[in-house]
Structures are given as structure tokens and as C-alpha cells.
Amino acid sequence: MTTLARGLSPVREELENGVVLLAQQTSAAPAVTIHARILAGCLHEPARPGLAYLTAKLLDRGTALRPADRMAVELEDRGVALKVRASRHAISLTATCLAEDLPQIVTIVADVLRAPSFPAEQLHRRRGELITGLRQDDDNPFLRAGDALVRLLYGADHPYGRPLKGTVASLSRIERQELVDYHARRFRPSTVTLAIVGDVAPADAAALVEREFGSWQADAPDEAAMPGPPAPPTRQMAHLSMPGKAQADIAYGFTSVSRLDPRYYAYWMMNIILGEFGLGGRLAANIRERQGMAYYACSSLDAALGEGALIVRAGVDPRNVERALAAIDAEVGALGRWGPTTDELEETRQFLIGSVPRFFETNQGIAAFLQSAEYFGLGLDYDRRLPHLLEAVTRADVAAAAGEVLRPDAAAVVVAGPAEAAS
Amino acid sequence: MCPLEAAVNTSFRRAVLDNGLTVLVQEVVSAPLVSVWCWYRVGSRDEVPGMTGASHWVEHMNFKGTERIPRDQMKGLIERLGGMWNGYTWIDQTAYLETAGRDALDHLLFVEAQRMASGLYDPTECEAERTVIISELQGGENDPDQVLDTEVTATAFRAHPYRHPTIGWLDDLQAMTRDDLYEHYRRFYIPNNAALVVVGDVEADDVLRRVERHFGAIPPGPPPRRVSCAEPRQLGERRVLVERPGTAAYLKVVYHAPAVTDADFFPLLVLDAVLTGAKGLSLWSSFRGALPQRRSRVYRELVERGLASSISGALLPTIDPFLYTLSLTPTDGVTLEVLESEAFAVLEKLRTDGVEAAEVQRAQRQLRARLVFESDSVTNIAHQLGYFETVAGPGFYRQLRDRIDRVTPDQVWDVARRRLASDYRTVGWFRPEAFAR
């Protein structure tokens, strides 16, 4: 019986062509999760918003060997569905299968990554679905406020500021050949990392990966440079009027630090204190618990390759927008000015260190952790080093991080909701 | 091989304390964690007019302080142990959970015992939570799909309390008092109306001793009478049209579904997998992630022909007959009229010609795989044990695979003919006002 009582024990193998495998055996269920990550996200697409997203949608819709129908049969007869998603930095493919089906599923995953055929009729269908999806998003105040906020923070040309899903206009213009070219340029052995986690011995997983990916030959592509964020702004406000909505959604934020920045751990703890601990840190304690104004009030930190955003979110009665913004300003300003209390710092530290075993409750969780550790070069023993990294953070570190970023006079603010909220 | 048995490995124990508390313990040693779930047999179906939303509001209040856990420490107590916590209220049941390192077990049991017997229900806190819940309701109203779902459900049921939404109607949320909530809490939060589930890297005898220590002294109460009535047989199609500002149209078609313990439930579950792909049977984990639906009939006929941009089906295990729901989104440029008539054509073809054995076998394989996928962690296993104990009774969870395997193509055809008749359906349209005539 495999147990994770002493943490992870992942095996890392790199094929000669550069494909990386991260394998971890677990025993909770006779199932295996495959998580492939390809460096082909928004960051890597040419000036064609939505190209990475459309590529992801079409990736498992037919290959040279397997027309879409046949692929669906081979997967679905085994109860498997591939999930392919584009993000700012990568396209990821995840699938969970019974352990006994793993060899066939690895074969299909390799086919999908190496030889998608982007059939014209599939492009036509999927493009139509995505455009309908964009229209649905247009009616969602939460999404619209978030999109508008990153545009304010980064500008429409930055990979963090432009719309991941593209626009109706940009999607409509993408030609099939652009997908073929994008795949050929970005899907190379050196851009692919596979995590295979579950009821399979790492050596068996490695043999499968060697069999299916070993013959793949292509040079490493040129890497795109991550542009920095624009100069720190003064306070910016935007209102999006959405008639008929019952609630107004607020998005309020700043650019922060890269995941690779040494200050990252202090920023992480600072954000937990501001808007994650319990129901949503100081923000929820004020806006939800003391004032009863919102069902959700919280913050998130998206430190990534570039200087990702720290974003405060709250959904409030349209009549309470000003009160809620005042409360956000007050909490952001107070943490920025005075830093956390010693108690807050210690409970946050206990929470994060105590949470590490929980990151590994599911195969998907382990696979995501291993992928992130590989991407940021954190090492195979990162789960064991992480508690020490968190132990080392001082109150002064967190106060400094808060002082750098939490400045209400530099926040970008978007309110999406009915007319009275936008007035 | 029986994957489900392998998944819920080693020892399982079921015990009932003298005060009536049912305790389920499953040892799963794959990670140094423990998950504790406390289930109460109370949900929105136990609410009478004027009190809708009480169960959900009570759930919120049960995070707001007890005699021995001050309000400001209730949230944060579990985090300091590195744990996660949550709770949910639905039509048949209310559940609370914590998952943390195995050494935290005593703390988790202490929290649940306090929650069962010693909630404070401070009047000021009840008032503050009123507006939080109204905000939660308004957030849902921002979503046209949810608005349509509420309207369709309320139209499909005339008598059964499944007709009102779990969150309640706005007027009731504005009118209910602290004493209403406290009375609801005291009536249902008693050990003989609860099931406590502990799954993880624990030893069953040790768990039972600890549970006895934390819960043994809580007195039982009179068994609560649950609101129940049979929904009268529907005699004709019902329709609801919602026209509001929006950017996209939505279509829902619902039919009256069997209770989980009804002989029709599993044939309909297989039918749903044939129509829209297998989802599995976990409200907690099954509906996340990608589903195998590209070979399903509705997907092939509607999505692959460019009529719908997305489709889904939902059959949920419930105590009383609830609904089988088909949700469809027309592709840009396709009208609701056309999508509806094409959807009905898919259903009618199946009702007329039956299903192929190969489709049923695929559906069964998919459902068996999902039983394994949804038991991949201590939290998810504990959910399934508690859920089926509460809505279907002891031992039912262990029979899921067998019940799926026993379904025949004839049973699937039969259930389609009887249950997907037009007389029993309710059709809901959300038409964005900009497109309305």
C-alpha cells in the first residue's frame, strides 16, 4: 500500500527529446490522472486573441490517425473525457481513467498532442460554440468585471490583459492554417511536461511515455519574453452598466510580483490575511461578517511567470457599492499601512504548513502541484521544503509586501451591475 | 475486479450510539488525513410556506458561534489545524465537513458536537446573516440559467415542497425571525436525526470511542416529522417563458423522476448516460471536470449538428421523486423553437425505437468508471457514504455498482416510454429581451 504519510516521492524522467515525465504512485483508488502541460498559452500566441483557446478546443477533435468519432468511441467506451484548457501560460490536458485503461489513454493523449488534424468542419462547430459562450459571458457581471480589471491593470496588448477567449471578431477571423501553424510552432517535445499520478508504478508510466513520445523529434521553439506590467498607475475606475442584474460585482486590484520573486512567500501570506483566511480574511470579516453586505468578499493572488494580479472581489446589493468600496479601501489601506498582527501571521503560517498534506488528497491535486513545481523550478522535494520557506517569513516581510502593493490610491476598480450601481 | 471495493479498502464500521446517532467509519490509509462529515436529515423539503430557506439559513448560523466556540473563533479554528471546512444545504439534507491532518480528529469531532447541540443564534448575528443570504440569492439571480431553473422547478411541482429553491423565497427571507430559525435548529439538530461519517487514516475502534466521548451525552429528541406529500400526477405539458435582459437564450426540459430507491431510478440513470453522457452519483464531485458525452445521443444530434452549443442532463438521487433535467443552449442564430423541436425529436426516436445494447453497455461502463473516480479521496468517499446513508438508507452505497450492472436495454426503453411522455414534462425558455418579439 502506497501512503503519502511522509510526503510525495515523485520520479522525474526526461526523454532524450526533452519531454518531461513526473510520476507519483498513489493508492486511494484504482485510477490514474494524466496532466499534460504544453507551453502554448496566451503568452505564446501571436497578435490573435483567442488562438490558444481555439487550439485547445480543437486539439482532441480528430488526429491524422483518429477521426473525431473514433477518438470519442475509444475514450468514452472507457468512461474517459479529456479536458483541454488554455491559460495565460500553457495549454493543459487532463484525463482520469481506470488504471487498467492507462496504456490506451496514454496512446490517445500522445496522438492528440502530436498529430491533431484540426478538421475544417470541427473548426466551424467549435467556433460557433465559443462565440455562443462569449455571448453568455457578456451577460455575467462577475466575468465582465474581472476581464475589465485586468485590461485596466495591464493594457489590452499584454498577455495578462487581453481576453483569453478572444472576442467574437477575433475568433471569427482565425483561419484553420493558423491553428496548424500554432500547433507546429508550440507543440514540441521540449514544451511538454506530463504528470502521471495514481495507481501505477513510476517505471511503468515511464515506459508508456517513452513508447508514445520517444520518437517525437522537433527543436525547442524560441521562447516569448514576458513583458513587465505598465508603470504603477493612479487610481482608475470603470463602471459597466448591465440592466436587469440583481447584484453588482466589484473587482479591485493591483499588479503584484512574479512567482519567482523571493518576496513571493510574504505576498502569499499577506493575501491570505487580506482575503482568504476563513471565509475571506479581513475583507470578509468586515464586509460579510460585520456589515452583512455580501455573500462573498475575498481576494486572490495570481503570482505567475509575470507579475500577476492581486484581485479583491465582492458581490453586493447595487445600493451598497459605495459602502463596499469604502470598506475595501479601509481594509486594503490598513493592512498596507500597518501590516498584519503577530496572531494573524502565526495562524496563517499554521494554516499553510498544515495544509500541505491536503494538497495531495486527490491525484489531480498532486499532478497540479508537480506541474507547478516543475514549471517554476522548485524541485522534487518542494513539498518538504515548503514548510521551511513559510517558517522563514517574518512579520516585517509581510508588512513590507503589504506596504508595497496595498495602496488604495493606486488601485484599479471595476463595478459591473445594474444602472444604479454604475451611476 | 471490483474497483469500488478496492477503492473503499480495508475496514468499514457502522454503529449507532445510545442517543440514536449513526456513525460510519471507513479506514483509508492512502494519505495522513481524516475527513469528518456530519449529516442531518433536514433540507428545503422540510420547510412550510413562510419558512422557505430556513434550513439553509440555519446552516449559515451554525458557523456563527457555539457555547464553547466563540463566534470569532469558529472560522479559523479549522484553518489553524491546516484543515478545510464547508457545509451545504439541499432539498433532502444538510451536511457539514472538515478535512485535516489525522491528528486533528478530536478537534473536528468537538466542532461537530458543538454544532449539533450548542449553537448560540445570537439575534444580532441572525440579522447580519439575513442580508448575507439575500446577497447570495441576488448573486444567483444574476445567472439566467439559475433563474430559469428556479422557474421551471416551481412550475413542475404543484404540491411537493421540492418546488421552492433551497435558498428560499425573498419575502420569507425578509420575514423570518431568530426564533423561527432557532426552533428549526432545535427540531432537526438532534443525534437521532444525524449521521456522522469519519473516513481516513484512522482506526475504527479508536474513532468510535472518541465519537462516544464527544457526542454520547447529547440527548436525543422526538423524531422530527418530515414534510412530505405525493406530487399529484401531471396531466399535461406545462410551459414557462422568462424574458429578461440578457445576451443568450436557454432551454430546459424537465420530467418527473423516480426516487433513488424506486426501481426506475437506475434504468433512468443509464438512460441519462445514453442521452447526455454519464455523470456519476456524487453531488460533491461528479459534476466537475469533463464528462464523456460526445457519443451520447443528444450531443450527436444537437451539438454536432450545430443546433446547440452545450447540453447536459441531470438525474439526482433524492428521497422523493424529483426531476430529470435536460439543459440546452442554442448556438448563436438558432431559435428556441427549432432547438426544442429537435430535442423532442431525439427523445421521441428513442421512445419509439428503443436503445441499442451497445449504448447501454457503454453507459454502464462509464457509470462504473465514475464510481471509482468519485471515491478518489477521503473527502469524496465520506461524502458518498453519508449522502446515501441519509437519502437512501444503510447499505445502499455498497449496492450502486450492482444496481447499475443489472439494468437491461428493455428497462431503459420502458422507462423512456413511461417517464419521458410529453404530458409529464415542463418546458422552460429563457429568451433575452433584446431578441424578444
Side-chain angles (χ1 to χ4, degrees):
Chain A
M1 175 70 54
T2 313
T3 170
L4 302 177
R6 280 175 299 280
L8 298 179
S9 50
V11 171
R12 183 183 187 281
E13 298 256 353
E14 187 167 337
L15 304 192
E16 276 183 29
N17 60 11
V19 170
V20 170
L21 166 69
L22 307 161
Q24 171 69 52
Q25 188 165 15
T26 65
S27 65
V32 181
T33 292
I34 302 172
H35 179 151
R37 188 180 160 98
I38 307 95
L39 302 180
C42 209
L43 168 65
H44 307 96
E45 68 192 8
R48 201 55 131 188
L51 180 59
Y53 192 70
L54 191 54
T55 302
K57 285 288 168 195
L58 279 156
L59 207 59
D60 63 339
R61 297 290 184 161
T63 68
L65 264 179
R66 291 179 175 78
D69 269 3
R70 184 175 150 206
M71 184 173 307
V73 171
E74 289 185 29
L75 290 168
E76 300 199 350
D77 278 0
R78 299 178 170 91
V80 177
L82 306 183
K83 182 170 192 174
V84 190
R85 281 190 304 190
S87 71
R88 305 280 170 200
H89 307 91
I91 285 178
S92 64
L93 178 157
T94 51
T96 295
C97 64
L98 295 179
E100 64 199 31
D101 292 329
L102 182 65
Q104 292 87 340
I105 302 304
V106 173
T107 302
I108 295 171
V109 167
D111 193 25
V112 161
L113 297 186
R114 294 179 61 173
S117 54
F118 303 106
E121 79 280 5
Q122 289 286 338
L123 171 59
H124 175 69
R125 287 276 172 268
R126 280 23 311 161
R127 193 204 311 266
E129 288 167 21
L130 294 187
I131 288 173
T132 305
L134 286 178
R135 298 217 191 283
Q136 290 177 305
D137 292 353
D138 271 348
D139 193 32
N140 183 322
F142 183 88
L143 294 179
R144 288 199 48 196
D147 285 350
L149 182 76
V150 294
R151 206 159 48 244
L152 278 184
L153 288 173
Y154 295 94
D157 293 331
H158 192 284
Y160 291 178
R162 64 175 177 249
L164 176 65
K165 298 179 183 177
T167 62
V168 172
S170 73
L171 281 182
S172 302
R173 281 198 304 270
I174 294 175
E175 307 271 352
R176 178 178 172 275
Q177 192 58 41
E178 290 176 81
L179 300 172
V180 172
D181 293 345
Y182 186 61
H183 174 266
R185 189 164 63 81
R186 292 307 312 175
F187 282 63
R188 307 276 184 97
S190 61
T191 66
V192 175
T193 301
L194 295 157
I196 297 185
V197 179
D199 190 10
V200 57
D204 295 341
L208 288 173
V209 169
E210 176 64 43
R211 187 186 80 193
E212 299 298 338
F213 290 88
S215 66
W216 194 8
Q217 293 301 329
D219 297 337
D222 296 333
E223 277 314 316
M226 169 60 75
T234 53
R235 184 148 171 138
Q236 307 176 80
M237 286 281 298
H239 295 283
L240 307 174
S241 174
M242 299 183 67
K245 293 299 176 191
Q247 181 168 279
D249 280 281
I250 297 171
Y252 173 118
F254 312 92
T255 62
S256 71
V257 293
S258 159
R259 177 68 181 75
L260 300 166
D261 191 298
R263 295 168 295 175
Y264 167 71
Y265 296 94
Y267 270 73
W268 187 14
M269 294 175 79
M270 177 267 289
N271 176 63
I272 301 259
I273 293 164
L274 175 68
E276 284 196 18
F277 194 83
L279 273 183
R282 288 188 180 190
L283 292 166
N286 181 334
I287 295 167
R288 175 170 168 157
E289 297 291 288
R290 287 202 295 279
Q291 300 205 59
M293 264 197 296
Y295 176 59
Y296 74 91
C298 55
S299 66
S300 61
L301 174 68
D302 183 24
L305 189 63
E307 293 151 334
L310 187 158
I311 300 180
V312 173
R313 302 297 316 242
V316 300
D317 187 307
R319 292 165 300 187
N320 287 334
V321 166
E322 290 308 319
R323 239 175 87 204
L325 285 176
I328 293 170
D329 279 341
E331 295 300 339
V332 164
L335 188 57
R337 202 168 310 121
W338 294 298
T341 67
T342 306
D343 281 353
E344 285 175 317
L345 182 74
E346 289 315 317
E347 70 186 7
T348 297
R349 198 191 316 273
Q350 283 171 24
F351 168 56
L352 290 176
I353 293 173
S355 294
V356 172
R358 235 170 4 87
F359 298 164
F360 312 135
E361 203 195 335
T362 62
N363 292 338
Q364 290 93 323
I366 295 171
F369 184 88
L370 292 177
Q371 284 285 9
S372 173
E374 173 75 15
Y375 184 64
F376 294 114
L378 303 171
L380 292 177
D381 60 347
Y382 182 55
D383 66 311
R384 265 163 276 181
R385 291 195 302 114
L386 179 54
H388 303 296
L389 294 165
L390 292 164
E391 287 290 358
V393 176
T394 65
R395 203 193 79 81
D397 294 336
V398 177
E404 283 162 5
V405 70
L406 299 182
R407 293 171 35 232
D409 59 350
V413 184
V414 179
V415 179
E420 55 265 47
S423 62
Chain B
M1 187 188 85
C2 175
L4 189 59
E5 285 308 311
V8 290
N9 50 38
T10 66
S11 104
F12 170 76
R13 289 282 293 279
R14 185 175 189 284
V16 180
L17 305 192
D18 288 345
N19 59 12
L21 177 66
T22 300
V23 187
L24 308 179
V25 186
Q26 175 81 56
E27 297 178 12
V28 175
V29 300
S30 54
L33 298 171
V34 63
S35 186
V36 171
W37 286 73
C38 198
W39 297 78
Y40 295 90
R41 293 179 185 88
V42 58
S44 57
R45 52 96 44 80
D46 297 291
E47 296 157 357
V48 295
M51 284 285 285
T52 66
S55 305
H56 172 252
W57 193 343
V58 159
E59 177 219 316
H60 276 230
M61 294 315 300
N62 286 338
F63 290 99
K64 304 201 76 155
T66 71
E67 285 168 14
R68 291 177 58 196
I69 310 175
R71 173 205 178 291
D72 59 348
Q73 286 178 28
M74 194 114 185
K75 292 158 191 157
L77 182 68
I78 303 300
E79 280 85 350
R80 276 184 282 273
L81 301 164
M84 62 81 83
W85 55 266
N86 213 327
Y88 80 81
T89 307
W90 204 49
I91 57 180
D92 286 328
Q93 78 279 8
T94 306
Y96 303 85
L97 78 142
E98 298 87 22
T99 298
R102 62 189 167 203
D103 297 337
L105 177 60
D106 258 322
H107 295 275
L108 310 187
L109 295 175
F110 168 71
V111 169
E112 289 310 325
Q114 283 286 301
R115 181 154 26 232
M116 182 180 289
S118 310
L120 291 178
Y121 288 72
D122 179 306
T124 318
E125 297 290 345
C126 291
E127 276 314 305
E129 207 60 17
R130 186 192 305 276
T131 44
V132 169
I133 289 170
I134 290 172
S135 169
E136 187 179 356
L137 177 140
Q138 289 171 333
E141 287 179 354
N142 274 6
D143 176 5
D145 185 68
Q146 200 168 323
V147 168
L148 183 61
D149 191 67
T150 300
E151 290 302 312
V152 168
T153 304
T155 307
F157 286 107
R158 289 247 165 98
H160 196 284
Y162 281 162
R163 71 181 176 273
H164 66 258
T166 306
I167 197 160
W169 299 122
L170 180 61
D171 285 351
D172 294 351
L173 296 176
Q174 286 167 337
M176 248 181 290
T177 66
R178 179 266 176 198
D179 288 351
D180 292 333
L181 296 171
Y182 192 70
E183 192 274 333
H184 196 76
Y185 168 60
R186 284 314 339 137
R187 188 144 60 95
F188 290 100
Y189 283 67
I190 50 179
N192 44 326
N193 194 44
L196 184 77
V197 184
V198 180
V199 174
D201 191 359
V202 293
E203 196 268 305
D205 288 330
D206 176 60
V207 171
L208 291 174
R209 277 192 297 275
R210 290 172 196 260
V211 170
E212 176 66 40
R213 197 161 69 235
H214 287 283
F215 290 84
I218 300 175
R225 231 182 99 232
R226 305 198 75 174
V227 174
S228 187
C229 64
E231 177 67 19
R233 184 183 177 87
Q234 187 171 333
L235 299 177
E237 182 185 270
R238 297 175 192 160
R239 303 188 67 90
V240 56
L241 169 65
V242 179
E243 288 185 307
R244 301 217 322 185
T247 53
Y250 297 82
L251 171 65
K252 281 188 192 287
V253 183
V254 306
Y255 297 87
H256 292 281
V260 65
T261 50
D262 188 294
D264 278 354
F265 184 84
F266 287 87
L268 186 57
L269 187 72
V270 171
L271 175 62
D272 169 57
V274 167
L275 287 172
T276 68
K279 271 115 273 181
L281 282 161
S282 173
L283 264 65
W284 189 250
S285 62
S286 288
F287 293 82
R288 299 170 193 171
L291 301 173
Q293 64 169 198
R294 291 182 191 169
R295 297 298 298 162
S296 70
R297 288 204 181 192
V298 176
Y299 188 91
R300 290 169 70 185
E301 293 297 324
L302 302 182
V303 178
E304 285 304 316
R305 285 173 54 220
L307 297 162
S309 67
S310 66
I311 61 107
S312 64
L315 174 67
L316 306 173
T318 51
I319 293 176
D320 287 339
F322 187 54
L323 300 172
Y324 174 56
T325 303
L326 283 173
S327 303
L328 309 109
T329 312
T331 306
D332 212 28
V334 175
T335 64
L336 285 161
E337 289 91 337
V338 167
L339 182 60
E340 179 186 306
S341 95
E342 294 286 339
F344 290 161
V346 176
L347 301 181
E348 281 313 308
K349 181 168 185 342
L350 191 150
R351 295 181 68 227
T352 308
D353 301 340
V355 288
E356 292 167 25
E359 286 179 291
V360 170
Q361 284 162 11
R362 179 189 303 124
Q364 288 169 316
R365 275 198 299 273
Q366 290 177 354
L367 287 165
R368 283 196 294 269
R370 301 207 86 78
L371 286 183
V372 176
F373 303 159
E374 65 201 22
S375 55
D376 68 341
S377 70
V378 293
T379 305
N380 291 343
I381 294 170
H383 176 272
Q384 291 302 80
L385 286 171
Y387 185 94
F388 283 97
E389 173 78 19
T390 314
V391 306
F396 200 90
Y397 176 60
R398 309 266 157 197
Q399 303 165 9
L400 296 179
R401 183 184 159 127
D402 194 41
R403 288 173 185 260
I404 290 165
D405 284 347
R406 285 206 307 261
V407 173
T408 66
D410 280 347
Q411 288 174 329
V412 175
W413 190 9
D414 175 56
V415 88
R417 273 190 310 238
R418 283 188 293 110
R419 290 196 171 265
L420 303 191
S422 60
D423 284 1
Y424 305 148
R425 76 183 168 220
T426 300
V427 182
W429 287 16
F430 180 95
R431 189 157 58 187
E433 256 171 17
F435 301 155
R437 277 184 285 277

